[in-house]
Amino acid sequence: YSREYLLNAARNVDKSYNTSAKIIVGDILSNILGSKKKLTADSTKDLPVIIIPYLNPFTAISFIRQRSVSETDISSPMLFFENQKGYFYTTVKSIFDNSGAGASELQTLFQREGISSNVKGSQ
């Protein structure tokens, strides 16, 4: 297990943000979990004021992920994962477009959550 995974059970996030998901995820990883690993993140539309209600860090990131909308791939859900190269906050479409890890094995994607319309400037 990684250091961040072990710290995840011992830390909580109870903070409000008024910025993009990319900045929020970076803040949680570096300031709450103390991670030194690289974060590669796609740009997202700014979220309205988000209050994270005392969640452990990875649950808080999932909370943010469910409310995020990519600036470029609006219809593609956001993913958060870690591999040997660091942390990634990206869309499924971005993984396919860049021939990312696992892209050739994935054949069908079932979207569990609706795409959030809870972003600044949305209709």
Side-chain angles (χ1 to χ4, degrees):
Y1 296 106
S2 69
R3 175 183 180 277
E4 294 85 358
Y5 180 82
L6 296 173
L7 284 175
N8 181 59
R11 304 268 168 95
N12 289 301
V13 181
D14 55 343
K15 192 172 180 180
S16 67
Y17 293 93
N18 188 18
T19 187
S20 70
K22 178 180 180 177
I23 294 171
I24 297 170
V25 171
D27 180 63
I28 292 171
L29 287 173
S30 62
N31 295 331
I32 309 275
L33 290 174
S35 178
K36 304 286 187 220
K37 295 178 182 174
K38 179 183 175 186
L39 170 65
T40 303
D42 288 353
S43 295
T44 60
K45 293 186 177 187
D46 286 350
L47 297 166
V49 174
I50 294 289
I51 300 171
I52 300 176
Y54 204 71
L55 301 172
N56 68 41
F58 288 142
T59 303
I61 290 172
S62 182
F63 180 80
I64 296 301
R65 181 193 58 77
Q66 293 171 11
R67 289 154 178 79
S68 296
V69 176
S70 169
E71 281 188 344
T72 56
D73 304 319
I74 294 172
S75 64
S76 186
M78 298 299 293
L79 301 173
F80 175 74
F81 60 93
E82 177 187 16
N83 65 18
Q84 66 273 18
K85 295 180 181 179
Y87 287 101
F88 291 84
Y89 189 76
T90 187
T91 63
V92 173
K93 185 176 183 313
S94 180
I95 291 174
F96 284 123
D97 290 348
N98 298 319
S99 301
S104 62
E105 289 82 17
L106 292 174
Q107 304 211 356
T108 305
L109 173 71
F110 294 98
Q111 184 175 333
R112 267 183 38 188
E113 303 131 2
I115 298 299
S116 177
S117 61
N118 191 20
V119 295
K120 291 180 184 173
S122 70
Q123 298 290 334

